[in-house]
């Protein structure tokens, strides 16, 4: 006999029946508590945790059937087995009790050899059910731990797929049409080299990345990479998403809108204002488990991923650029604020690019870019340098600010600069180390017929630089 065979509740209004049954079961090692009527049984069920109930049907007051009904409102048949013990042997009585949730039915007079056998059977079934529930609970706890830990590194959708189907860990991929989103902060190199501590930089990045990854997850996108101040995500895998292009554009709009809260946090903590560019492209790519036996990830690869990254590089701050392929997938629900042609590296044909300003499906729209440049009473001499792949060229050339605002400038340069070129503008022409007087910008258009007069939208500046710029505009308006 096991050391803990179980606790039983014997319910019968006949004292002799209670005594015979309880003594017999006690000798077999069970802990037995008796109740003389239905109400007493219900009270005991509130005070003790029983493993099985032997329940008489015919009792004064609350009869056994009523007690059974009340028990089943709280306990399932596997959680608390109930054996009906009664002299009523009509088939309708037996069927009725079983349909109400009785586990077994024993007729009086009792066969004291049969009763223990029935009890052992029901307790064995209960223990098996308890073990299944315990294992299920442990499995869920383990899966929750896995989701909580690996969800920081792998999209929850991928984690769920791996937990549900371990064969998903196998290496390999499939060709799938997906929409790729690449986002990156403008001019973060300038900020990271500014007067901020590493702790401040990390806090700023964590707040930005935490905000953006949550938005991507809310739109059921997969974060493929986080690279410094940028990220790559895709939509349309591993689960089928017929509207993956719409999701990506809706996600991008929500991300740009969330920059307001990111910058509110930065302002509160004495950190600089940030702006982000987002490129989106739709096309066929290989998605699947890529890597080695020791380290792998669910990822997306292909030329269309590279094109999304190229589109992102053409962005100014607070801008979303989408390809024609993405626009054809979304249709007229996307507000288009501009269009131009680019010639990305590695792409043979010119690519049409569209600036997305919002999406009707999500009823989500960005404010349109507006700016009014002030003509300067006296041009400001500056030095400029081309930025290529986030590296500032050591070769500088002179320029003159002729018109200016807090967001943009018109510059006449001593060399031709084509649209979409990133440039650094040094307000102190002979000082290239003072980052507080350096502006990052992108050439958005020629300002006149000559290719050395261009309009530049600022993409990044330190708070001190913003103050210098504000002072220049204030003094110009006073003259």
């Amino acid at each position: 006999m096991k050391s803990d065979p179980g606790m039983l509740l014997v319910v019968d209004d006949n004292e002799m029946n209670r005594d015979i049954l309880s003594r017999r079961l006690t000798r077999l090692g069970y802990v037995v508590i008796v109740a003389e009527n239905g109400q007493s049984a219900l009270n005991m069920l509130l005070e003790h945790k029983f493993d099985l109930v032997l329940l008489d049907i015919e009792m004064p007051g609350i009869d056994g059937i009523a007690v059974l009904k009340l028990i089943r409102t709280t306990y399932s048949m596997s959680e608390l087995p109930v054996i009906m013990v009664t002299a009523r042997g009509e088939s309708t009585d037996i069927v009725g009790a079983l349909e109400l949730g009785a586990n077994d039915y024993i007729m009086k007079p009792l066969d004291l050899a049969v009763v223990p056998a029935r009890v052992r059977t029901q307790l064995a079934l209960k223990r098996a059910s308890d073990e299944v529930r315990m294992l299920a609970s442990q499995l869920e706890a383990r899966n929750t731990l896995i989701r909580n830990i690996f969800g920081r590194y792998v999209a929850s959708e991928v984690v769920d797929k791996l937990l549900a189907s371990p064969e998903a860990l196998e290496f390999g991929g499939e060709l799938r049409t997906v929409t790729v989103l690449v986002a990156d902060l403008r001019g973060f190199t300038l900020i990271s080299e500014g007067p901020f501590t590493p702790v401040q930089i990390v806090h700023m990045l964590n707040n930005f990345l935490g905000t953006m990854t949550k938005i991507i997850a809310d739109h059921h996108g997969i974060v493929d990479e986080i690279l410094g101040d940028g990220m790559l995500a895709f939509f349309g895998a591993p689960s089928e998403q017929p509207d993956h292009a719409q999701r990506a554009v809706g996600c991008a709009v929500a991300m740009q809108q969330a920059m307001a809260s990111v910058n509110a946090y930065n302002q509160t903590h004495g950190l600089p204002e940030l702006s982000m560019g987002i490129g989106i492209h739709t096309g066929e790519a290989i998605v699947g488990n890529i890597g080695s036996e020791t380290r792998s990830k669910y990822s997306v690869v292909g030329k269309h991923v590279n094109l999304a990254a190229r589109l992102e590089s053409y962005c100014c701050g607070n801008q979303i650029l989408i390809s024609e392929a993405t626009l054809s997938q979304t249709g007229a629900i996307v507000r288009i604020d501009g269009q131009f042609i680019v010639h990305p590296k590695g792409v043979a044909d010119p690519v049409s690019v569209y600036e997305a300003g919002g999406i009707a499906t999500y009823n989500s729209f960005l404010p349109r870019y507006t700016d009014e440049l002030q003509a300067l009473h006296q041009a400001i001499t500056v030095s400029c340098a081309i930025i290529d792949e986030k590296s500032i060229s050591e070769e500088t050339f002179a320029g003159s600010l002729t018109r200016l605002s807090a967001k943009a400038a018109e510059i006449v340069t001593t060399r031709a600069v084509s649209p979409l070129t990133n440039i650094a503008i040094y307000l102190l022409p002979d000082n290239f180390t003072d980052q507080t007087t350096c502006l990052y910008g992108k050439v958005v258009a020629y300002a006149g017929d000559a290719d050395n007069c261009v309009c530049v939208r600022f993409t990044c500046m330190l708070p001190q630089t913003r103050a210098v710029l504000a002072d220049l505009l204030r003094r110009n308006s006073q003259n």
Side-chain angles (χ1 to χ4, degrees), residues 122-178:
Q122 292 302 324
L123 288 177
L125 292 172
K126 179 185 185 304
R127 291 192 181 98
S129 178
D130 289 344
E131 185 174 358
V132 169
R133 277 196 297 271
M134 181 187 69
L135 292 174
S137 177
Q138 291 175 347
L139 179 61
E140 182 56 34
R142 187 208 65 166
N143 289 350
T144 299
L145 178 64
I146 291 173
R147 288 188 185 96
N148 290 340
I149 294 176
F150 291 100
R152 299 177 64 182
Y153 305 97
V154 181
S156 59
E157 192 172 352
V158 176
V159 176
D160 289 339
K161 181 179 179 181
L162 294 176
L163 291 173
S165 178
E167 61 269 17
L169 285 168
E170 296 177 1
F171 292 112
E174 60 179 320
L175 195 63
R176 185 84 72 88
T177 299
V178 296

Side-chain angles (χ1 to χ4, degrees), residues 254-266:
M255 290 169 68
Q256 291 291 17
Q257 291 173 331
M259 288 302 294
S261 65
V262 169
N263 285 321
Y265 173 92
N266 288 355

Side-chain angles (χ1 to χ4, degrees), residues 48-156:
H48 304 281
K49 184 175 179 58
F50 293 100
D51 296 297
L52 183 141
V53 178
L54 292 118
L55 179 61
D56 187 20
I57 291 181
E58 294 181 343
M59 295 184 293
I62 303 176
D63 66 13
I65 295 299
V67 172
L68 175 63
K69 290 180 180 178
L70 291 171
I71 288 175
R72 287 294 170 251
T73 62
T74 305
Y75 301 98
S76 69
M77 294 176 66
S78 61
E79 290 173 324
L80 181 58
V82 177
I83 299 176
M84 308 306 292
V85 182
T86 180
R88 292 165 58 174
E90 296 293 331
S91 60
T92 54
D93 296 326
I94 297 173
V95 171
L98 294 175
E99 288 180 343
L100 290 173
N103 296 70
D104 204 346
Y105 202 101
I106 300 177
M107 293 294 299
K108 294 179 180 179
L110 300 176
D111 185 333
L112 295 180
V114 172
V115 172
R118 298 285 183 90
V119 169
R120 283 194 298 271
T121 298
Q122 292 302 324
L123 288 177
L125 292 172
K126 179 185 185 304
R127 291 192 181 98
S129 178
D130 289 344
E131 185 174 358
V132 169
R133 277 196 297 271
M134 181 187 69
L135 292 174
S137 177
Q138 291 175 347
L139 179 61
E140 182 56 34
R142 187 208 65 166
N143 289 350
T144 299
L145 178 64
I146 291 173
R147 288 188 185 96
N148 290 340
I149 294 176
F150 291 100
R152 299 177 64 182
Y153 305 97
V154 181
S156 59

Side-chain angles (χ1 to χ4, degrees), residues 385-443:
I386 301 297
I387 302 173
D388 186 22
E389 301 293 340
K390 297 190 176 183
S391 296
I392 302 176
S393 172
E394 294 182 358
E395 180 183 352
T396 63
F397 53 94
S400 297
L401 298 181
T402 56
R403 300 173 69 204
L404 185 64
S405 76
K407 299 178 182 179
E410 185 178 286
I411 306 178
V412 177
T413 62
T414 55
R415 56 164 287 185
V417 184
S418 60
L420 301 181
T421 301
N422 294 312
I423 64 171
I425 304 167
Y426 299 94
L427 296 177
L428 297 180
D430 299 323
N431 188 343
F432 305 113
T433 60
D434 185 0
Q435 298 295 327
T436 62
T437 58
C438 177
L439 299 166
Y440 278 12
K442 182 182 289 289
V443 176

Side-chain angles (χ1 to χ4, degrees), residues 311 314-315 319 321-322 338-342 351-355 420 444:
L311 297 187
Y314 297 133
C315 288
Q319 194 174 38
L321 297 181
I322 68 175
Q339 176 185 358
F340 53 93
I341 303 294
V342 297
V351 175
S352 294
V353 179
Y354 303 84
E355 181 175 359
L420 301 181
V444 293

